[in-house]
Amino acid sequence: MKVKSRKTNADGLVRLESSGELKEILINEDFLHPNEASIALCFRGKSSSGIVELSPKEIDVLYDELKKRKHLLGNVKVMKFEK
């Protein structure tokens, strides 16, 4: 997994690139506020780690876009991770 990020601060524009292996997928639910649920993709690399949080709506958009373009990917393997 590769993550590329860009942020503006007092010094100007800062770009960050990181990579790592997807280690865990967490589903954060709140029974009192179901609209605030999120999906967290946790990754860890040699010298970096991080979490990418997505809302259920963002997951739906991502799924729809991937479904449209699945034929462009070629050979796709589904990997299952065990805890």
Side-chain angles (χ1 to χ4, degrees):
M1 169 179 201
K2 290 185 181 180
V3 177
K4 296 179 182 180
S5 176
R6 184 174 77 168
K7 180 181 178 181
T8 305
N9 63 14
D11 298 331
L13 189 65
V14 177
R15 290 189 175 133
L16 173 70
E17 291 186 28
S18 182
S19 65
E21 183 179 328
L22 190 61
K23 291 289 187 181
E24 194 170 0
I25 298 173
L26 302 173
I27 298 174
N28 302 316
E29 293 182 279
D30 187 353
F31 293 117
L32 298 176
H33 304 97
N35 294 335
E36 297 177 11
S38 67
I39 293 94
L41 306 174
C42 306
F43 67 95
R44 181 172 196 86
K46 184 177 180 181
S47 60
S48 63
S49 64
I51 298 173
V52 177
E53 274 193 31
L54 301 168
S55 69
K57 184 177 179 180
E58 291 170 323
I59 291 290
D60 290 337
V61 170
L62 182 63
Y63 177 74
D64 291 339
E65 289 298 318
L66 288 174
K67 194 166 55 171
K68 288 182 208 173
R69 300 172 187 177
K70 183 178 175 183
H71 68 281
L72 299 173
L73 294 175
N75 294 333
V76 176
K77 294 182 182 179
V78 177
M79 300 175 71
K80 293 186 179 182
F81 299 98
E82 296 180 13
K83 285 189 176 182

